[in-house]
Amino acid sequence: MQPSQHDSGLTTPKATDLLRLYPIGGSLFTSPRRTVLTLGRHATLAHGPADTLAQRAAQLLRQAQAEGLVQPILLGAVPFNAQAPAHLFIPESTVQGRGAGETALPTQAESNSLRDISSEALPHPDRYRDNVAQALSQIGEGGLDKVVLSRSIKVDANIAVPTLLQRLANRNPSGYTFAIDLPETDGERRTLVGASPELLLSRRGRQVVSHPLAGSIPRSSDPLEDARRAEQLFGSAKDRHEHQLVVDAVVAALGPYCNAVHVPSGPSLVSTPSMWHLATEIRGDLADGECSALELALALHPTPAVCGHPTAAARSFIETVEGFDRGFFTGLVGWCDASGDGEWAVTIRCAEVGEHTATLYAGAGIVAGSEPHLELAETSAKLRTMLSAMALESVLEGAA
């Protein structure tokens, strides 16, 4: 791998090339705009106060430049709980290439040999429905407007991360596919792998973009039913209310940093292979060119799309009833360079993959009018993104 090769002219690698080159122990982030493939560690950001994270990251990038690293970038992930340690580092070597766009990858044969593997769901589906019912009670009493409740499934299986990455990128090339090498736990190598459909924040010069998703419905394999569901979602007052809570929060968070924030008059529909989502692309004109993509992303995090509204009450409810530690799920994943440009996606449709196990995550936004069984079905549909890419969809039979 060559150090710090950037996207210039005809020599710029394609996303497909870099996906094929991805090695175990490396890290990769690909978006419609750019693909970043890295190896090794030049420096790792030490844990410190959450409110100085962006400043400490910028200082680490400046230090890397002073040490002679050409055009360094910072890559990694920030957890849902901003007080927990982030995993951000400057790679020893980096290759940057074109974005994934609509480029299809060769389809790899999917194995059915792991059909009867063991799995553990936290919380159990019955408990999850109870959690949703508790949330609806809190909403009815006026303590919450929205809260996002999640599930996790741990499977015992040997997952080939390179193959998983290629399948994820092939299924949704317009999304944000990533594999971040994590610190070992109990001697086991771990990788944060996913294909997020949601851009938290990108910065390019003084132009910033956030593309929140909120309000969802599972897709159908029948074209007529699929179109009906999309129309149902687009016209749903409940889902539009859920979506507007997120849009308002993003606009409010970006406002202090921007001379102007541009918001469409209403949401649009965005699809992934498994879900329809309401989406709004929000654009801003930065007032201060020194404000980095990471600083802006942290100002937005966590949005009501992954936590709820009001934020403090929703976070407290999640910690009390959800039943597991989200870790990096519903945090942010991406990169930032020394100029402040970068891309940070919301860490959803993801799994933490070890050498012999994998833990998958999915959540759903709960607002007035939500129904426990439908929210459970939504989380199952979202889990299917990763499980189908692992050829493990049968796991849902006992956890839906």
Side-chain angles (χ1 to χ4, degrees):
M1 182 179 290
Q2 299 176 9
S4 300
Q5 179 179 333
H6 287 259
D7 44 344
S8 57
L10 298 176
T11 62
T12 306
K14 297 178 181 178
T16 51
D17 298 329
L18 298 187
L19 278 158
R20 290 188 183 99
L21 287 172
Y22 165 79
I24 296 295
S27 291
L28 180 139
F29 182 89
T30 185
S31 74
R33 168 182 158 191
R34 180 174 298 183
T35 301
V36 178
L37 176 64
T38 75
L39 191 63
R41 298 280 191 279
H42 178 82
T44 299
L45 189 67
H47 182 50
D51 58 0
T52 65
L53 181 60
Q55 291 75 19
R56 291 185 287 112
Q59 182 179 7
L60 195 67
L61 283 163
R62 289 192 296 269
Q63 180 181 330
Q65 286 181 307
E67 292 168 350
L69 201 66
V70 179
Q71 295 180 304
I73 67 163
L74 184 87
L75 188 80
V78 176
F80 171 68
N81 179 356
Q83 304 304 317
H87 179 57
L88 298 170
F89 58 92
I90 296 176
E92 191 65 44
S93 58
T94 303
V95 178
Q96 298 197 36
R98 304 174 199 172
E102 297 299 325
T103 303
L105 291 164
T107 301
Q108 302 213 13
E110 302 207 359
S111 168
N112 294 316
S113 61
L114 298 174
R115 203 172 277 277
D116 296 323
I117 63 166
S118 62
S119 64
E120 177 185 12
L122 286 176
H124 185 276
D126 291 340
R127 166 77 182 275
Y128 183 79
R129 285 187 286 261
D130 290 343
N131 290 349
V132 174
Q134 287 186 55
L136 289 170
S137 177
Q138 290 281 323
I139 291 168
E141 294 171 3
L144 291 168
D145 291 322
K146 173 184 177 179
V147 64
V148 178
L149 292 178
S150 303
R151 304 167 60 203
S152 70
I153 295 180
K154 182 178 180 180
V155 296
D156 293 321
N158 298 317
I159 306 298
V161 174
T163 300
L164 175 60
L165 264 182
Q166 290 196 16
R167 289 175 180 167
L168 290 169
N170 188 43
R171 292 173 188 196
N172 190 16
S174 61
Y176 301 84
T177 303
F178 52 89
I180 305 297
D181 187 47
L182 298 175
E184 289 188 1
T185 298
D186 297 327
E188 184 181 31
R189 180 184 294 280
R190 300 178 304 137
T191 309
L192 180 66
V193 187
S196 175
E198 185 169 1
L199 174 66
L200 180 63
L201 191 288
S202 72
R203 198 203 92 159
R204 195 170 190 175
R206 288 181 179 258
Q207 300 302 306
V208 298
V209 179
S210 181
H211 200 188
L213 310 182
S216 307
I217 194 169
R219 298 195 64 178
S220 171
S221 58
D222 177 76
L224 291 178
E225 172 61 15
D226 193 48
R228 188 196 69 79
R229 292 186 185 185
E231 183 178 356
Q232 175 186 338
L233 176 64
F234 193 71
S236 166
K238 175 188 80 71
D239 289 290
R240 280 181 171 257
H241 167 65
E242 178 186 345
H243 186 77
Q244 194 61 46
L245 288 172
V246 181
V247 171
D248 290 346
V250 170
V251 171
L254 286 179
Y257 296 92
C258 295
N259 290 322
V261 179
H262 311 283
V263 186
S265 58
S268 58
L269 282 170
V270 168
S271 65
T272 69
S274 61
M275 302 295 298
W276 284 104
H277 300 282
L278 294 178
T280 296
E281 186 176 80
I282 300 164
R283 294 183 172 271
D285 306 318
L286 273 183
D288 181 0
E290 298 299 313
C291 187
S292 73
L294 179 58
E295 181 178 349
L296 292 163
L298 291 171
L300 298 182
H301 177 65
T303 73
V306 296
C307 182
H309 183 78
T311 302
R315 184 188 288 114
S316 176
F317 187 85
I318 289 166
E319 291 173 351
T320 301
V321 308
E322 201 164 62
F324 66 94
D325 183 357
R326 290 188 181 185
F328 291 106
F329 170 60
T330 62
L332 48 143
V333 59
W335 62 273
C336 185
D337 65 22
S339 74
D341 285 354
E343 298 176 293
W344 296 93
V346 182
T347 315
I348 53 177
R349 310 298 190 276
C350 66
E352 197 168 293
V353 180
E355 294 175 74
H356 306 292
T357 64
T359 304
L360 299 79
Y361 306 90
I366 314 303
V367 295
S370 293
E371 298 181 43
H373 72 284
L374 293 179
E375 303 305 325
L376 180 67
E378 180 177 321
T379 58
S380 295
K382 290 174 177 176
L383 285 165
R384 191 168 285 112
T385 296
M386 291 298 295
L387 287 170
S388 63
M390 294 174 176
L392 298 177
E393 282 186 282
S394 61
V395 167
L396 282 175
E397 294 174 6

